[in-house]
Amino acid sequence: MTASPERPAAATLLVGVDLGLPHFDAELEELGQLAQTAGMEPVARVTAKRKAPDAALFVGKGKADEIKQLAEETGASEILFDQSLSPAQQRNLERHMGLPVNDRTLLILEIFAQRARSHDGKLQVELARLQYLSTRLVRRWSHLERQTGGAGVRGGPGEKQIELDRRMIDDAIKRTRERLAKVKKQRATQRRQRERRETFTISLVGYTNAGKSTLFNALVKARAYAANQLFATLDTTTRQLYLQDEEGASGGTGRSVSLSDTVGFIRDLPHGLIDAFQATLQEAADADLLLHVVDAANPHYPEQMAEVQRVLHEIGAGDVPQLVVFNKTDALDPAGRPRRLVDLFEVEGRQVPRVFASSLTGDGLSELRRELVRIVAAARPAAEADTAAPTSS
């Protein structure tokens, strides 16, 4: 599924099924972006509408025949579904189509595997992939056949290959979880050290490609990788951000805070990834403030914000105070740009501060810093802020 630099991108047929859910992507735009991020080349798109998935072929036999014919006409070498498939559905579809069939879950796992750079990030991805594979051992491959007992073995036939594979994967999952537990312990130690230093912690969260890393770089003058693509960065990066009020030049107060850039969220993020990335996402759950970055130019931003909120609740960060940043205002039509850069915005029935900004042009960043100064000052006594010394970014 992963394309190598020496090999052309796999021609992929995209399939989406409208099951009546409000977030159905009729144009399969996001799936196409994910496929391109993973090194694929979408050659055709097919959508279907069903009240419920077909138990055997997910789309039903008639639609499966149509997809098979289109794949032959377009020269597709792989079929990619926008929804998660059960192991049996995936196996049946592959037999019916005569082509590899994968789903959105595996696609996201593949992208994460390509992008993870840190040791703990790679461990987290590996755990999620192993958990996914453990559910696919349902005689999908031809080698999963009963083996006969070896020489000198008394009794009937030996273990099934599927049982050996499952045991190997279970062992690998156990080892990976143990290694991740050590990483989680190390992160907890680092957090306790920050708490002892009474460092105010801020985590950037948001839907993937909302511009979190670009905003992070603009605020702390870092060089974290940022690109106009989904899941450009996966590993948490933390830097010190020095905040000074507007009277700083004439004796005002200032303090350093800890700013972390975390992995972006996406619709239908596999639960295995949420579990596996618990150590990384814990940065958000333990933060004093969340900077919820929103792509203001994306017409689907309300659905994206709702998905971010859902994941935040799932990782225990639903009650952490938020400041919403409507990013990418430079991409808005001039007539649609806000007159005020700072206002209040409702998030799950709560009024939270909102700042309109552009990480690329710098518009609104001064207002964002002022809001951060106000929030930090309200959270900590002013006298405590006087003791904080500037820390270079």
Side-chain angles (χ1 to χ4, degrees), residues 130-163:
L130 287 169
Q131 290 171 331
Y132 179 87
L133 285 174
S134 68
T135 68
R136 304 288 130 171
L137 294 176
V138 193
R139 287 191 171 276
R140 184 179 168 202
W141 300 285
S142 59
H143 75 279
L144 300 181
E145 298 171 350
R146 185 177 292 278
Q147 297 177 327
T148 58
V153 177
R154 298 180 62 186
E159 283 186 297
K160 293 179 182 178
Q161 182 66 40
I162 188 172
E163 293 168 350

PDB file of all heavy atoms in Angstrom, residues 130-163:
ATOM      1  N   LEU A 130      -0.456  -3.395  14.640  1.00  0.00           N
ATOM      2  CA  LEU A 130      -0.553  -4.771  15.122  1.00  0.00           C
ATOM      3  C   LEU A 130      -1.975  -5.081  15.580  1.00  0.00           C
ATOM      4  O   LEU A 130      -2.495  -6.175  15.316  1.00  0.00           O
ATOM      5  CB  LEU A 130       0.434  -4.991  16.270  1.00  0.00           C
ATOM      6  CG  LEU A 130       1.922  -5.065  15.891  1.00  0.00           C
ATOM      7  CD1 LEU A 130       2.790  -5.007  17.138  1.00  0.00           C
ATOM      8  CD2 LEU A 130       2.209  -6.343  15.102  1.00  0.00           C
ATOM      9  N   GLN A 131      -2.603  -4.126  16.266  1.00  0.00           N
ATOM     10  CA  GLN A 131      -3.977  -4.340  16.715  1.00  0.00           C
ATOM     11  C   GLN A 131      -4.913  -4.487  15.525  1.00  0.00           C
ATOM     12  O   GLN A 131      -5.846  -5.288  15.556  1.00  0.00           O
ATOM     13  CB  GLN A 131      -4.412  -3.175  17.610  1.00  0.00           C
ATOM     14  CG  GLN A 131      -3.714  -3.159  18.962  1.00  0.00           C
ATOM     15  CD  GLN A 131      -3.989  -1.895  19.747  1.00  0.00           C
ATOM     16  OE1 GLN A 131      -4.217  -0.825  19.178  1.00  0.00           O
ATOM     17  NE2 GLN A 131      -3.969  -1.999  21.066  1.00  0.00           N
ATOM     18  N   TYR A 132      -4.666  -3.714  14.474  1.00  0.00           N
ATOM     19  CA  TYR A 132      -5.488  -3.828  13.266  1.00  0.00           C
ATOM     20  C   TYR A 132      -5.274  -5.183  12.600  1.00  0.00           C
ATOM     21  O   TYR A 132      -6.235  -5.865  12.226  1.00  0.00           O
ATOM     22  CB  TYR A 132      -5.127  -2.700  12.297  1.00  0.00           C
ATOM     23  CG  TYR A 132      -5.902  -2.733  10.989  1.00  0.00           C
ATOM     24  CD1 TYR A 132      -7.134  -2.106  10.879  1.00  0.00           C
ATOM     25  CD2 TYR A 132      -5.392  -3.382   9.877  1.00  0.00           C
ATOM     26  CE1 TYR A 132      -7.848  -2.119   9.684  1.00  0.00           C
ATOM     27  CE2 TYR A 132      -6.094  -3.409   8.683  1.00  0.00           C
ATOM     28  CZ  TYR A 132      -7.316  -2.776   8.593  1.00  0.00           C
ATOM     29  OH  TYR A 132      -8.012  -2.809   7.413  1.00  0.00           O
ATOM     30  N   LEU A 133      -4.016  -5.590  12.467  1.00  0.00           N
ATOM     31  CA  LEU A 133      -3.714  -6.869  11.822  1.00  0.00           C
ATOM     32  C   LEU A 133      -4.309  -8.042  12.584  1.00  0.00           C
ATOM     33  O   LEU A 133      -4.721  -9.039  11.982  1.00  0.00           O
ATOM     34  CB  LEU A 133      -2.205  -7.045  11.693  1.00  0.00           C
ATOM     35  CG  LEU A 133      -1.499  -6.224  10.605  1.00  0.00           C
ATOM     36  CD1 LEU A 133      -0.006  -6.411  10.701  1.00  0.00           C
ATOM     37  CD2 LEU A 133      -2.001  -6.642   9.223  1.00  0.00           C
ATOM     38  N   SER A 134      -4.358  -7.917  13.903  1.00  0.00           N
ATOM     39  CA  SER A 134      -4.865  -9.036  14.705  1.00  0.00           C
ATOM     40  C   SER A 134      -6.326  -9.330  14.386  1.00  0.00           C
ATOM     41  O   SER A 134      -6.797 -10.448  14.590  1.00  0.00           O
ATOM     42  CB  SER A 134      -4.701  -8.735  16.194  1.00  0.00           C
ATOM     43  OG  SER A 134      -5.561  -7.688  16.594  1.00  0.00           O
ATOM     44  N   THR A 135      -7.061  -8.337  13.876  1.00  0.00           N
ATOM     45  CA  THR A 135      -8.463  -8.554  13.516  1.00  0.00           C
ATOM     46  C   THR A 135      -8.615  -9.058  12.088  1.00  0.00           C
ATOM     47  O   THR A 135      -9.713  -9.408  11.669  1.00  0.00           O
ATOM     48  CB  THR A 135      -9.269  -7.245  13.649  1.00  0.00           C
ATOM     49  OG1 THR A 135      -8.827  -6.311  12.643  1.00  0.00           O
ATOM     50  CG2 THR A 135      -9.085  -6.634  15.018  1.00  0.00           C
ATOM     51  N   ARG A 136      -7.518  -9.072  11.326  1.00  0.00           N
ATOM     52  CA  ARG A 136      -7.603  -9.471   9.921  1.00  0.00           C
ATOM     53  C   ARG A 136      -7.222 -10.930   9.711  1.00  0.00           C
ATOM     54  O   ARG A 136      -7.210 -11.403   8.586  1.00  0.00           O
ATOM     55  CB  ARG A 136      -6.656  -8.617   9.065  1.00  0.00           C
ATOM     56  CG  ARG A 136      -6.896  -7.144   9.186  1.00  0.00           C
ATOM     57  CD  ARG A 136      -8.173  -6.710   8.495  1.00  0.00           C
ATOM     58  NE  ARG A 136      -9.009  -5.900   9.364  1.00  0.00           N
ATOM     59  CZ  ARG A 136     -10.096  -5.259   8.959  1.00  0.00           C
ATOM     60  NH1 ARG A 136     -10.481  -5.317   7.705  1.00  0.00           N
ATOM     61  NH2 ARG A 136     -10.812  -4.575   9.812  1.00  0.00           N
ATOM     62  N   LEU A 137      -6.876 -11.635  10.772  1.00  0.00           N
ATOM     63  CA  LEU A 137      -6.457 -13.035  10.627  1.00  0.00           C
ATOM     64  C   LEU A 137      -7.681 -13.940  10.549  1.00  0.00           C
ATOM     65  O   LEU A 137      -7.991 -14.693  11.456  1.00  0.00           O
ATOM     66  CB  LEU A 137      -5.555 -13.438  11.801  1.00  0.00           C
ATOM     67  CG  LEU A 137      -4.203 -12.715  11.856  1.00  0.00           C
ATOM     68  CD1 LEU A 137      -3.444 -13.122  13.109  1.00  0.00           C
ATOM     69  CD2 LEU A 137      -3.386 -13.004  10.625  1.00  0.00           C
ATOM     70  N   VAL A 138      -8.405 -13.822   9.443  1.00  0.00           N
ATOM     71  CA  VAL A 138      -9.616 -14.627   9.268  1.00  0.00           C
ATOM     72  C   VAL A 138      -9.500 -15.357   7.932  1.00  0.00           C
ATOM     73  O   VAL A 138     -10.319 -15.204   7.043  1.00  0.00           O
ATOM     74  CB  VAL A 138     -10.877 -13.731   9.302  1.00  0.00           C
ATOM     75  CG1 VAL A 138     -12.129 -14.574   9.429  1.00  0.00           C
ATOM     76  CG2 VAL A 138     -10.811 -12.752  10.454  1.00  0.00           C
ATOM     77  N   ARG A 139      -8.423 -16.152   7.801  1.00  0.00           N
ATOM     78  CA  ARG A 139      -8.178 -16.905   6.566  1.00  0.00           C
ATOM     79  C   ARG A 139      -8.189 -16.014   5.326  1.00  0.00           C
ATOM     80  O   ARG A 139      -8.679 -16.377   4.271  1.00  0.00           O
ATOM     81  CB  ARG A 139      -9.227 -18.013   6.396  1.00  0.00           C
ATOM     82  CG  ARG A 139      -9.019 -19.174   7.343  1.00  0.00           C
ATOM     83  CD  ARG A 139      -9.912 -20.335   6.945  1.00  0.00           C
ATOM     84  NE  ARG A 139      -9.562 -21.519   7.714  1.00  0.00           N
ATOM     85  CZ  ARG A 139      -8.588 -22.349   7.395  1.00  0.00           C
ATOM     86  NH1 ARG A 139      -7.852 -22.105   6.336  1.00  0.00           N
ATOM     87  NH2 ARG A 139      -8.350 -23.409   8.122  1.00  0.00           N
ATOM     88  N   ARG A 140      -7.625 -14.806   5.478  1.00  0.00           N
ATOM     89  CA  ARG A 140      -7.586 -13.903   4.336  1.00  0.00           C
ATOM     90  C   ARG A 140      -6.514 -14.318   3.342  1.00  0.00           C
ATOM     91  O   ARG A 140      -6.615 -14.048   2.159  1.00  0.00           O
ATOM     92  CB  ARG A 140      -7.320 -12.478   4.839  1.00  0.00           C
ATOM     93  CG  ARG A 140      -7.361 -11.446   3.733  1.00  0.00           C
ATOM     94  CD  ARG A 140      -7.121 -10.055   4.279  1.00  0.00           C
ATOM     95  NE  ARG A 140      -6.882  -9.135   3.177  1.00  0.00           N
ATOM     96  CZ  ARG A 140      -6.257  -7.989   3.305  1.00  0.00           C
ATOM     97  NH1 ARG A 140      -5.799  -7.620   4.467  1.00  0.00           N
ATOM     98  NH2 ARG A 140      -6.079  -7.199   2.263  1.00  0.00           N
ATOM     99  N   TRP A 141      -5.448 -14.938   3.842  1.00  0.00           N
ATOM    100  CA  TRP A 141      -4.338 -15.284   2.979  1.00  0.00           C
ATOM    101  C   TRP A 141      -4.296 -16.793   2.740  1.00  0.00           C
ATOM    102  O   TRP A 141      -4.647 -17.586   3.600  1.00  0.00           O
ATOM    103  CB  TRP A 141      -3.022 -14.810   3.589  1.00  0.00           C
ATOM    104  CG  TRP A 141      -3.018 -13.333   3.767  1.00  0.00           C
ATOM    105  CD1 TRP A 141      -2.877 -12.385   2.800  1.00  0.00           C
ATOM    106  CD2 TRP A 141      -3.183 -12.619   4.990  1.00  0.00           C
ATOM    107  NE1 TRP A 141      -2.947 -11.130   3.334  1.00  0.00           N
ATOM    108  CE2 TRP A 141      -3.125 -11.237   4.687  1.00  0.00           C
ATOM    109  CE3 TRP A 141      -3.375 -12.993   6.327  1.00  0.00           C
ATOM    110  CZ2 TRP A 141      -3.247 -10.251   5.646  1.00  0.00           C
ATOM    111  CZ3 TRP A 141      -3.498 -12.006   7.276  1.00  0.00           C
ATOM    112  CH2 TRP A 141      -3.432 -10.656   6.933  1.00  0.00           C
ATOM    113  N   SER A 142      -3.815 -17.190   1.579  1.00  0.00           N
ATOM    114  CA  SER A 142      -3.842 -18.601   1.186  1.00  0.00           C
ATOM    115  C   SER A 142      -2.929 -19.465   2.040  1.00  0.00           C
ATOM    116  O   SER A 142      -3.124 -20.670   2.135  1.00  0.00           O
ATOM    117  CB  SER A 142      -3.440 -18.733  -0.290  1.00  0.00           C
ATOM    118  OG  SER A 142      -2.140 -18.203  -0.487  1.00  0.00           O
ATOM    119  N   HIS A 143      -1.894 -18.834   2.669  1.00  0.00           N
ATOM    120  CA  HIS A 143      -0.966 -19.665   3.443  1.00  0.00           C
ATOM    121  C   HIS A 143      -1.535 -20.051   4.801  1.00  0.00           C
ATOM    122  O   HIS A 143      -0.937 -20.860   5.524  1.00  0.00           O
ATOM    123  CB  HIS A 143       0.359 -18.921   3.654  1.00  0.00           C
ATOM    124  CG  HIS A 143       0.288 -17.830   4.686  1.00  0.00           C
ATOM    125  ND1 HIS A 143      -0.215 -16.585   4.402  1.00  0.00           N
ATOM    126  CD2 HIS A 143       0.634 -17.816   5.993  1.00  0.00           C
ATOM    127  CE1 HIS A 143      -0.153 -15.832   5.489  1.00  0.00           C
ATOM    128  NE2 HIS A 143       0.347 -16.556   6.471  1.00  0.00           N
ATOM    129  N   LEU A 144      -2.682 -19.502   5.180  1.00  0.00           N
ATOM    130  CA  LEU A 144      -3.250 -19.813   6.484  1.00  0.00           C
ATOM    131  C   LEU A 144      -4.016 -21.137   6.409  1.00  0.00           C
ATOM    132  O   LEU A 144      -5.238 -21.186   6.405  1.00  0.00           O
ATOM    133  CB  LEU A 144      -4.170 -18.690   6.947  1.00  0.00           C
ATOM    134  CG  LEU A 144      -3.511 -17.319   7.105  1.00  0.00           C
ATOM    135  CD1 LEU A 144      -4.521 -16.312   7.595  1.00  0.00           C
ATOM    136  CD2 LEU A 144      -2.330 -17.395   8.054  1.00  0.00           C
ATOM    137  N   GLU A 145      -3.278 -22.210   6.295  1.00  0.00           N
ATOM    138  CA  GLU A 145      -3.875 -23.539   6.187  1.00  0.00           C
ATOM    139  C   GLU A 145      -3.370 -24.408   7.328  1.00  0.00           C
ATOM    140  O   GLU A 145      -2.320 -24.161   7.911  1.00  0.00           O
ATOM    141  CB  GLU A 145      -3.497 -24.173   4.841  1.00  0.00           C
ATOM    142  CG  GLU A 145      -4.019 -23.372   3.642  1.00  0.00           C
ATOM    143  CD  GLU A 145      -3.438 -23.888   2.333  1.00  0.00           C
ATOM    144  OE1 GLU A 145      -2.502 -24.714   2.409  1.00  0.00           O
ATOM    145  OE2 GLU A 145      -3.905 -23.457   1.273  1.00  0.00           O
ATOM    146  N   ARG A 146      -4.116 -25.492   7.598  1.00  0.00           N
ATOM    147  CA  ARG A 146      -3.711 -26.401   8.674  1.00  0.00           C
ATOM    148  C   ARG A 146      -2.423 -27.112   8.297  1.00  0.00           C
ATOM    149  O   ARG A 146      -2.265 -27.614   7.199  1.00  0.00           O
ATOM    150  CB  ARG A 146      -4.824 -27.424   8.919  1.00  0.00           C
ATOM    151  CG  ARG A 146      -4.534 -28.335  10.107  1.00  0.00           C
ATOM    152  CD  ARG A 146      -5.688 -29.281  10.342  1.00  0.00           C
ATOM    153  NE  ARG A 146      -6.876 -28.580  10.808  1.00  0.00           N
ATOM    154  CZ  ARG A 146      -7.084 -28.230  12.078  1.00  0.00           C
ATOM    155  NH1 ARG A 146      -6.175 -28.512  12.985  1.00  0.00           N
ATOM    156  NH2 ARG A 146      -8.184 -27.621  12.435  1.00  0.00           N
ATOM    157  N   GLN A 147      -1.481 -27.113   9.247  1.00  0.00           N
ATOM    158  CA  GLN A 147      -0.206 -27.784   9.023  1.00  0.00           C
ATOM    159  C   GLN A 147      -0.239 -29.156   9.678  1.00  0.00           C
ATOM    160  O   GLN A 147      -0.860 -29.346  10.718  1.00  0.00           O
ATOM    161  CB  GLN A 147       0.945 -26.970   9.636  1.00  0.00           C
ATOM    162  CG  GLN A 147       1.119 -25.595   9.000  1.00  0.00           C
ATOM    163  CD  GLN A 147       2.212 -24.824   9.702  1.00  0.00           C
ATOM    164  OE1 GLN A 147       2.406 -24.981  10.903  1.00  0.00           O
ATOM    165  NE2 GLN A 147       2.924 -24.026   8.956  1.00  0.00           N
ATOM    166  N   THR A 148       0.441 -30.107   9.088  1.00  0.00           N
ATOM    167  CA  THR A 148       0.534 -31.433   9.703  1.00  0.00           C
ATOM    168  C   THR A 148       1.619 -31.424  10.758  1.00  0.00           C
ATOM    169  O   THR A 148       2.539 -30.610  10.716  1.00  0.00           O
ATOM    170  CB  THR A 148       0.877 -32.488   8.644  1.00  0.00           C
ATOM    171  OG1 THR A 148       2.106 -32.127   8.019  1.00  0.00           O
ATOM    172  CG2 THR A 148      -0.219 -32.560   7.601  1.00  0.00           C
ATOM    173  N   GLY A 149       1.495 -32.343  11.728  1.00  0.00           N
ATOM    174  CA  GLY A 149       2.499 -32.433  12.771  1.00  0.00           C
ATOM    175  C   GLY A 149       3.857 -32.831  12.212  1.00  0.00           C
ATOM    176  O   GLY A 149       3.950 -33.573  11.245  1.00  0.00           O
ATOM    177  N   GLY A 150       4.923 -32.352  12.811  1.00  0.00           N
ATOM    178  CA  GLY A 150       6.270 -32.645  12.330  1.00  0.00           C
ATOM    179  C   GLY A 150       6.720 -34.035  12.748  1.00  0.00           C
ATOM    180  O   GLY A 150       6.010 -34.770  13.440  1.00  0.00           O
ATOM    181  N   ALA A 151       7.938 -34.412  12.295  1.00  0.00           N
ATOM    182  CA  ALA A 151       8.485 -35.734  12.609  1.00  0.00           C
ATOM    183  C   ALA A 151       8.654 -35.881  14.112  1.00  0.00           C
ATOM    184  O   ALA A 151       9.113 -34.973  14.793  1.00  0.00           O
ATOM    185  CB  ALA A 151       9.836 -35.906  11.914  1.00  0.00           C
ATOM    186  N   GLY A 152       8.244 -37.045  14.625  1.00  0.00           N
ATOM    187  CA  GLY A 152       8.401 -37.316  16.048  1.00  0.00           C
ATOM    188  C   GLY A 152       7.271 -36.765  16.889  1.00  0.00           C
ATOM    189  O   GLY A 152       7.279 -36.903  18.107  1.00  0.00           O
ATOM    190  N   VAL A 153       6.303 -36.106  16.258  1.00  0.00           N
ATOM    191  CA  VAL A 153       5.178 -35.546  17.004  1.00  0.00           C
ATOM    192  C   VAL A 153       4.043 -36.548  16.999  1.00  0.00           C
ATOM    193  O   VAL A 153       3.605 -37.000  15.948  1.00  0.00           O
ATOM    194  CB  VAL A 153       4.724 -34.208  16.369  1.00  0.00           C
ATOM    195  CG1 VAL A 153       3.505 -33.664  17.123  1.00  0.00           C
ATOM    196  CG2 VAL A 153       5.855 -33.194  16.385  1.00  0.00           C
ATOM    197  N   ARG A 154       3.588 -36.906  18.162  1.00  0.00           N
ATOM    198  CA  ARG A 154       2.488 -37.860  18.258  1.00  0.00           C
ATOM    199  C   ARG A 154       1.171 -37.108  18.278  1.00  0.00           C
ATOM    200  O   ARG A 154       1.071 -35.980  18.723  1.00  0.00           O
ATOM    201  CB  ARG A 154       2.633 -38.686  19.534  1.00  0.00           C
ATOM    202  CG  ARG A 154       3.905 -39.518  19.554  1.00  0.00           C
ATOM    203  CD  ARG A 154       3.985 -40.308  20.844  1.00  0.00           C
ATOM    204  NE  ARG A 154       2.862 -41.243  20.951  1.00  0.00           N
ATOM    205  CZ  ARG A 154       2.624 -41.982  22.029  1.00  0.00           C
ATOM    206  NH1 ARG A 154       3.413 -41.877  23.085  1.00  0.00           N
ATOM    207  NH2 ARG A 154       1.607 -42.825  22.060  1.00  0.00           N
ATOM    208  N   GLY A 155       0.148 -37.747  17.813  1.00  0.00           N
ATOM    209  CA  GLY A 155      -1.170 -37.149  17.842  1.00  0.00           C
ATOM    210  C   GLY A 155      -1.584 -36.653  16.475  1.00  0.00           C
ATOM    211  O   GLY A 155      -1.015 -37.029  15.456  1.00  0.00           O
ATOM    212  N   GLY A 156      -2.597 -35.794  16.445  1.00  0.00           N
ATOM    213  CA  GLY A 156      -3.198 -35.320  15.198  1.00  0.00           C
ATOM    214  C   GLY A 156      -2.424 -34.177  14.583  1.00  0.00           C
ATOM    215  O   GLY A 156      -1.241 -33.984  14.852  1.00  0.00           O
ATOM    216  N   PRO A 157      -3.105 -33.425  13.713  1.00  0.00           N
ATOM    217  CA  PRO A 157      -2.455 -32.330  13.007  1.00  0.00           C
ATOM    218  C   PRO A 157      -1.984 -31.242  13.956  1.00  0.00           C
ATOM    219  O   PRO A 157      -2.491 -31.093  15.076  1.00  0.00           O
ATOM    220  CB  PRO A 157      -3.545 -31.830  12.067  1.00  0.00           C
ATOM    221  CG  PRO A 157      -4.826 -32.248  12.704  1.00  0.00           C
ATOM    222  CD  PRO A 157      -4.523 -33.551  13.378  1.00  0.00           C
ATOM    223  N   GLY A 158      -0.986 -30.476  13.508  1.00  0.00           N
ATOM    224  CA  GLY A 158      -0.428 -29.401  14.335  1.00  0.00           C
ATOM    225  C   GLY A 158      -1.317 -28.181  14.350  1.00  0.00           C
ATOM    226  O   GLY A 158      -2.458 -28.207  13.887  1.00  0.00           O
ATOM    227  N   GLU A 159      -0.776 -27.097  14.919  1.00  0.00           N
ATOM    228  CA  GLU A 159      -1.539 -25.856  15.011  1.00  0.00           C
ATOM    229  C   GLU A 159      -1.812 -25.293  13.623  1.00  0.00           C
ATOM    230  O   GLU A 159      -1.018 -25.448  12.703  1.00  0.00           O
ATOM    231  CB  GLU A 159      -0.742 -24.813  15.796  1.00  0.00           C
ATOM    232  CG  GLU A 159      -0.745 -25.004  17.286  1.00  0.00           C
ATOM    233  CD  GLU A 159      -0.052 -23.838  17.948  1.00  0.00           C
ATOM    234  OE1 GLU A 159       1.140 -23.647  17.707  1.00  0.00           O
ATOM    235  OE2 GLU A 159      -0.714 -23.118  18.711  1.00  0.00           O
ATOM    236  N   LYS A 160      -2.913 -24.596  13.486  1.00  0.00           N
ATOM    237  CA  LYS A 160      -3.176 -23.853  12.269  1.00  0.00           C
ATOM    238  C   LYS A 160      -2.177 -22.695  12.170  1.00  0.00           C
ATOM    239  O   LYS A 160      -1.789 -22.112  13.180  1.00  0.00           O
ATOM    240  CB  LYS A 160      -4.595 -23.286  12.277  1.00  0.00           C
ATOM    241  CG  LYS A 160      -5.696 -24.315  12.220  1.00  0.00           C
ATOM    242  CD  LYS A 160      -7.038 -23.608  12.248  1.00  0.00           C
ATOM    243  CE  LYS A 160      -8.187 -24.607  12.240  1.00  0.00           C
ATOM    244  NZ  LYS A 160      -9.494 -23.934  12.315  1.00  0.00           N
ATOM    245  N   GLN A 161      -1.785 -22.366  10.940  1.00  0.00           N
ATOM    246  CA  GLN A 161      -0.894 -21.233  10.751  1.00  0.00           C
ATOM    247  C   GLN A 161      -1.525 -19.947  11.292  1.00  0.00           C
ATOM    248  O   GLN A 161      -0.839 -19.086  11.827  1.00  0.00           O
ATOM    249  CB  GLN A 161      -0.563 -21.064   9.264  1.00  0.00           C
ATOM    250  CG  GLN A 161       0.403 -19.917   8.965  1.00  0.00           C
ATOM    251  CD  GLN A 161       1.783 -20.175   9.542  1.00  0.00           C
ATOM    252  OE1 GLN A 161       2.273 -21.301   9.487  1.00  0.00           O
ATOM    253  NE2 GLN A 161       2.395 -19.148  10.106  1.00  0.00           N
ATOM    254  N   ILE A 162      -2.850 -19.852  11.171  1.00  0.00           N
ATOM    255  CA  ILE A 162      -3.528 -18.659  11.666  1.00  0.00           C
ATOM    256  C   ILE A 162      -3.319 -18.501  13.170  1.00  0.00           C
ATOM    257  O   ILE A 162      -3.170 -17.395  13.686  1.00  0.00           O
ATOM    258  CB  ILE A 162      -5.036 -18.717  11.314  1.00  0.00           C
ATOM    259  CG1 ILE A 162      -5.705 -17.382  11.646  1.00  0.00           C
ATOM    260  CG2 ILE A 162      -5.748 -19.834  12.059  1.00  0.00           C
ATOM    261  CD1 ILE A 162      -7.129 -17.299  11.156  1.00  0.00           C
ATOM    262  N   GLU A 163      -3.270 -19.636  13.886  1.00  0.00           N
ATOM    263  CA  GLU A 163      -3.065 -19.573  15.333  1.00  0.00           C
ATOM    264  C   GLU A 163      -1.636 -19.151  15.658  1.00  0.00           C
ATOM    265  O   GLU A 163      -1.392 -18.402  16.605  1.00  0.00           O
ATOM    266  CB  GLU A 163      -3.393 -20.929  15.952  1.00  0.00           C
ATOM    267  CG  GLU A 163      -4.881 -21.282  15.862  1.00  0.00           C
ATOM    268  CD  GLU A 163      -5.163 -22.723  16.211  1.00  0.00           C
ATOM    269  OE1 GLU A 163      -4.201 -23.501  16.349  1.00  0.00           O
ATOM    270  OE2 GLU A 163      -6.347 -23.076  16.330  1.00  0.00           O
TER     271      GLU A 163
END
